[in-house]
Amino acid sequence: MAEKARFYDAKISKIVSLTSTVKHFVLDYPQEADTNFIAGQFMMVHLEKDGKPHKKPYSIASNPSLPKKIELCIKIVEGGYVSTWFFGLKEGDVIHTSLPYGVFTVREPWQENIVFVGTGTGVAPLRGMIEKLYERGCDKHIWLIFGNRHETDVLYDDEWRTLEKQHKNFHYIPTVSRPKDWKGETAYVQDIVKKTFAGKTEGLDFYGCGLVPMCQQLKAALLEMNIPKERIHFEQFT
């Protein structure tokens, strides 16, 4: 039975511009709020549109262990009502939220090595999942294959590189499809997956998050590689 959502007001305590189109929001909750969720789940933001209730789902970008705090990673979308509203908010503003929702979570126990594949802000739930895995002492090999159009779009790059230095079992592969001065990978994420795991598909669980076309292309590539369907998990954004 699905857990019943809980509704709370949250104060925006911090806003960080990650790129020209993406901001990181830190939401603070009152002490009495039950902000428990499983890494990878999403929340709803509630507001009004044309005088009527309106809601929008956002993946939670943080580790559930943060006390009474939740982090969101939001890209402003041209014509997007809620993202435009978010980009007009300032630190100290209060918003209405509900949580938790969703089943995009790491399967337990960890019997396999784990491959996370994200594009753009699709990396948000993967960030919380990876942080939680290491907090819990996960000793499996973990890959993050992270695709973006431009090198200026790569979110949380310093965090991933620090994590790679701290954990020998973490493998970070950023890729940029429209590079300028980029020295790394330039293929699409599904092509990186095929190249990285060619002939080495045993014992891998795949988690993909991003826009629908990427998820569809990645799923097709994984099935082509004979990855069993039960080892392929997705969260698709529209």
Side-chain angles (χ1 to χ4, degrees):
M1 187 174 165
E3 186 178 1
K4 190 175 179 182
R6 305 178 296 270
F7 290 76
Y8 299 109
D9 285 342
K11 181 184 285 188
I12 298 174
S13 62
K14 191 175 182 182
I15 302 173
V16 180
S17 291
L18 300 180
T19 72
S20 60
T21 59
V22 178
K23 288 184 178 180
H24 179 91
F25 294 83
V26 180
L27 310 182
D28 281 9
Y29 284 80
Q31 282 304 307
E32 64 273 15
D34 177 2
T35 55
N36 286 324
F37 66 94
I38 302 170
Q41 288 189 303
F42 64 92
M43 63 184 293
M44 289 286 184
V45 174
H46 299 263
L47 62 158
E48 282 196 351
K49 182 179 181 182
D50 302 326
K52 296 177 182 176
H54 186 71
K55 62 184 179 181
K56 172 81 173 177
Y58 284 106
S59 288
I60 299 172
S62 49
N63 184 338
S65 297
L66 284 181
K68 308 300 178 185
K69 287 182 189 292
I70 282 179
E71 298 176 351
L72 300 177
C73 177
I74 298 177
K75 179 183 177 74
I76 191 165
V77 178
E78 191 174 343
Y81 183 79
V82 183
S83 67
T84 302
W85 174 80
F86 252 105
F87 269 57
L89 295 173
K90 59 189 184 299
E91 292 176 359
D93 285 346
V94 174
I95 65 174
H96 191 50
T97 69
S98 62
L99 74 154
Y101 303 89
V103 295
F104 183 61
T105 56
V106 176
R107 304 303 186 269
E108 295 199 32
W110 317 308
Q111 295 173 329
E112 314 294 346
N113 295 319
I114 303 169
V115 183
F116 292 103
V117 184
T119 49
T121 53
V123 81
L126 309 184
R127 180 177 182 255
M129 293 157 112
I130 291 168
E131 283 185 12
K132 189 64 179 177
L133 283 167
Y134 280 116
E135 180 187 275
R136 293 180 58 193
C138 182
D139 60 353
K140 302 295 182 186
H141 281 278
I142 298 173
W143 284 264
L144 172 62
I145 298 171
F146 185 23
N148 290 278
R149 286 185 179 177
H150 309 286
E151 52 255 56
T152 51
D153 297 334
V154 184
L155 306 172
Y156 307 112
D157 186 62
D158 289 346
E159 286 186 20
W160 306 127
R161 295 188 187 280
T162 299
L163 209 56
E164 198 171 35
K165 288 174 184 169
Q166 291 173 338
H167 301 280
K168 298 296 184 190
N169 60 334
F170 183 64
H171 315 282
Y172 172 47
I173 308 175
T175 182
V176 170
S177 59
R178 298 181 188 177
K180 286 188 177 177
D181 303 311
W182 181 253
K183 300 294 188 286
E185 296 282 359
T186 56
Y188 289 119
V189 287
Q190 62 269 23
D191 298 320
I192 300 288
V193 166
K194 287 193 277 190
K195 181 175 82 169
T196 304
F197 301 104
K200 297 177 285 187
T201 58
E202 280 297 310
L204 296 172
D205 251 334
F206 289 85
Y207 295 83
C209 189
L211 294 172
V212 172
M214 181 284 280
C215 289
Q216 291 175 338
Q217 291 160 7
L218 176 60
K219 185 175 183 180
L222 293 173
L223 293 174
E224 194 180 297
M225 293 165 66
N226 296 315
I227 303 295
K229 283 183 180 177
E230 60 270 18
R231 291 200 191 154
I232 302 173
H233 320 286
F234 283 102
E235 185 86 296
Q236 300 183 151
F237 294 170
T238 52

